[in-house]
Amino acid sequence: ERYNRAASSFDFVTVNPVQAAASANYARAPIPEVPVDQFRTIGGLRFVGRDGRPRGVFRTPHDALAPRFGFAWQALRDTVIRGGYGIFRDPLGVDRYGIDQPGFSVRTNLIPSLDNGLTFRATLQNPFPDGVQQPAPVGLTTFVGRGVSYPPVARPSPYQQRWSFSIQRQYPGRILSEISYVGSRGTRLAVSREWDPIPRKYYSTSPERDQAVIDSMSAAVANPFYGLPEFAGTGLSGRTVTRGQLTRPYPHFTSLASDDHVGYSWYHSLQVRVEKRFSHGLSFNAAYTFSKLMEATSFLNDTDPLPEEVISDSDRPHRLAVAAVWEAPVGRRRHFGARWPAVLDAVLGGWQLQAIYQAQSGQALGFGNIIYRGHIHEIVLPRDQRTIDRWFNTNAPFERDPRKQLAWNIRTFPSRLTGLRGPGDNYWDASLAKVFTITERLRLQLRTNWEGALNTPQFSNPNTGVTNTLFGMITST
């Protein structure tokens, strides 16, 4: 970054300059979960080109080899066997990930009250009683009291291993068929990790709403950062904070996020293709894919050691695509009307019809952090019972009472379900074209395109909010 205005890492060991004042304030009103001698404000952001740090945002990996291998063997005169393997690298760099510049772009938050609404300090005449925030000198106190993100210094090169094996056969009539197995494995994928989570022991593991834990961890307690100038205008500027905030490893930040390259994915597919190259006025290409894509690219809980293995939101088990071009055998030099006069041929001859049909499975659905007391297979409705007003079984044993929903708990219900999917794609595109031959070198084409030719609606996913009155309904396209 030209002016060294980019964060490059987080210092997890150096005492933050706010430590002395914050510790003194905390000692006056500690909480049982954190003894006074264990309250620490360790760490802060580091920036490129400062304090002896290099100007690069992260170290360039030097092990990013990407070998490829492939073969083709003509087993028979009309049969070819093909295969291959390769490693494909995900690009790194600021054009891919961007840069973080905390402190140089500062938002002034409207904080009308410091005591949860008992009294108000901001007015329409003076909405910012602490003044407008100004960019501050960078250092360990940059953006304290806020949620921050930063790039890791050691960013390994993510990569995909891909492999395939196929058998291709040619038939009379310029027809070709191919059946293939295609797979891949993603490694070192970037996953956003919370490095400042509230410790796991303070969350409930009950399958039902644990009101005692919720009340305890969300209770307002004395804020040790109140009155410190570094926290003015931030989320930690009030007289009180939640108890959970003070149990964080780095309580002077509300969040600390960075990419961790521990993600992975895997994909397997059977692919079938039939192609007829253009002859006798007809060509078509049909392709079908049966596949499954799993991923581990996000954490179900901030305190989980590894990301959640779940069906990908890009997974589409079935996909069919058919494209055809048909040149009508009508007109001069064609089967019908070969001797038509030029005027009649200009009107009725030389028409060409094109059509594309696409169909694929819908997206896997999820419900979030819910209470469900039954078997997940009870949620899926038979295909003939699904309607836009009831896409899945809303009478399954979901807990829909807003007063009984989970909070401050360790999640166990998966974020997406393989067997429950939204509406898939099912549509036609078509076009009709007429070519006028003016001279041997000059032709004119008249074309009309019909996108969504049969006017089939493509529905959005249903509402999956268990407390919503539209639960299970599709309300848009």
Side-chain angles (χ1 to χ4, degrees):
E1 206 284 329
R2 182 176 182 181
Y3 300 105
N4 294 333
R5 294 175 179 171
S8 67
S9 65
F10 189 86
D11 186 336
F12 287 93
V13 296
T14 303
V15 175
N16 195 284
V18 303
Q19 170 73 30
S23 295
N25 291 342
Y26 181 77
R28 300 188 187 101
I31 61 175
E33 290 80 4
V34 183
V36 172
D37 60 347
Q38 295 181 18
F39 180 79
R40 296 284 186 272
T41 56
I42 306 296
L45 289 170
R46 292 297 191 186
F47 291 79
V48 299
R50 300 170 187 267
D51 303 319
R53 304 187 66 80
R55 299 194 64 220
V57 177
F58 56 85
R59 291 195 297 266
T60 301
H62 297 286
D63 60 347
L65 298 177
R68 320 280 170 86
F69 165 77
F71 71 90
W73 173 46
Q74 186 173 353
L76 301 172
R77 188 178 67 87
D78 53 6
T79 304
V80 175
I81 298 175
R82 307 177 191 275
Y85 170 84
I87 294 179
F88 299 81
R89 297 282 175 174
D90 192 24
L92 296 176
V94 295
D95 59 335
R96 177 72 173 179
Y97 289 93
I99 58 174
D100 294 293
Q101 296 180 300
F104 294 96
S105 176
V106 182
R107 173 181 298 168
T108 301
N109 295 318
L110 173 61
I111 303 176
S113 174
L114 297 178
D115 51 14
N116 294 325
L118 294 178
T119 59
F120 291 89
R121 55 201 292 268
T123 65
L124 291 177
Q125 290 76 23
N126 183 24
F128 304 107
D130 295 322
V132 176
Q133 296 291 301
Q134 299 294 327
V138 297
L140 290 176
T141 60
T142 299
F143 261 31
V144 291
R146 298 176 171 88
V148 299
S149 61
Y150 65 92
V153 173
R155 187 188 287 276
S157 174
Y159 64 92
Q160 286 270 354
Q161 299 178 76
R162 301 178 186 169
W163 53 88
S164 65
F165 180 83
S166 67
I167 301 175
Q168 192 178 78
R169 185 175 176 83
Q170 183 172 312
Y171 304 92
R174 307 191 71 184
I175 296 177
L176 178 77
S177 70
E178 183 176 25
I179 183 170
S180 308
Y181 161 70
V182 178
S184 70
R185 172 77 177 185
T187 306
R188 296 180 181 174
L189 305 183
V191 181
S192 179
R193 183 190 283 272
E194 173 60 60
W195 294 102
D196 191 20
I198 295 171
R200 195 178 186 92
K201 62 183 179 180
Y202 296 121
Y203 287 91
S204 172
T205 58
S206 170
E208 302 292 330
R209 181 180 177 90
D210 192 334
Q211 194 62 49
V213 170
I214 296 172
D215 292 343
S216 174
M217 299 310 294
S218 59
V221 298
N223 179 15
F225 308 111
Y226 172 68
L228 302 186
E230 295 87 352
F231 294 85
T234 74
L236 296 182
S237 61
R239 287 190 176 92
T240 62
V241 294
T242 64
R243 185 187 307 272
Q245 174 63 36
L246 297 185
T247 65
R248 293 180 182 272
Y250 310 97
H252 48 309
F253 291 97
T254 59
S255 175
L256 183 56
S258 178
D259 284 343
D260 191 6
H261 287 257
V262 296
Y264 51 95
S265 66
W266 61 100
Y267 171 82
H268 300 285
S269 69
L270 172 68
Q271 302 180 12
V272 181
R273 182 171 68 94
V274 178
E275 175 185 345
K276 182 188 183 303
R277 297 177 181 176
F278 193 82
S279 64
H280 305 291
L282 177 67
S283 72
F284 68 83
N285 193 339
Y288 169 73
T289 301
F290 174 56
S291 64
K292 186 173 185 179
L293 173 59
M294 297 286 292
E295 65 182 16
T297 56
S298 62
F299 290 92
L300 191 61
N301 300 284
D302 288 342
T303 56
D304 289 345
L306 293 173
E308 176 196 20
E309 292 186 353
V310 69
I311 194 73
S312 172
D313 60 357
S314 298
D315 176 71
R316 301 294 188 273
H318 302 280
R319 176 168 174 81
L320 174 66
V322 180
V325 178
W326 179 57
E327 191 175 80
V330 178
R332 285 188 170 186
R333 297 179 297 277
R334 292 177 174 84
H335 187 72
F336 301 102
R339 297 183 180 181
W340 278 353
V343 175
L344 186 60
D345 180 66
V347 176
L348 300 179
W351 287 95
Q352 186 182 82
L353 178 66
Q354 302 178 26
I356 300 174
Y357 173 69
Q358 298 184 69
Q360 70 175 11
S361 305
Q363 186 179 36
L365 301 179
F367 298 95
N369 186 23
I370 66 167
I371 297 174
Y372 183 74
R373 302 185 180 94
H375 197 285
I376 58 175
H377 294 301
E378 300 174 31
I379 301 173
V380 182
L381 285 176
R383 190 176 297 271
D384 60 352
Q385 296 182 22
R386 298 175 198 167
T387 67
I388 61 173
D389 293 323
R390 188 170 179 260
W391 189 255
F392 50 81
N393 182 14
T394 54
N395 294 325
F398 294 97
E399 177 54 71
R400 300 192 58 188
D401 187 340
R403 299 166 299 178
K404 298 180 181 180
Q405 298 305 306
L406 294 171
W408 283 99
N409 66 294
I410 298 298
R411 290 182 56 180
T412 56
F413 197 84
S415 57
R416 284 183 290 275
L417 302 176
T418 303
L420 180 65
R421 295 182 177 271
D425 294 334
N426 177 24
Y427 60 93
W428 288 85
D429 294 331
S431 69
L432 184 65
K434 161 71 176 173
V435 177
F436 298 89
T437 302
I438 300 175
T439 67
E440 183 178 352
R441 289 176 173 265
L442 182 62
R443 295 191 301 171
L444 176 67
Q445 185 184 72
L446 174 67
R447 173 185 291 270
T448 171
N449 294 322
W450 313 326
E451 184 176 352
L454 300 183
N455 201 29
T456 304
Q458 304 301 304
F459 292 108
S460 301
N461 287 332
N463 186 301
T464 56
V466 295
T467 61
N468 196 296
T469 57
L470 301 177
F471 183 55
M473 298 176 60
I474 296 175
T475 58
S476 63
T477 59

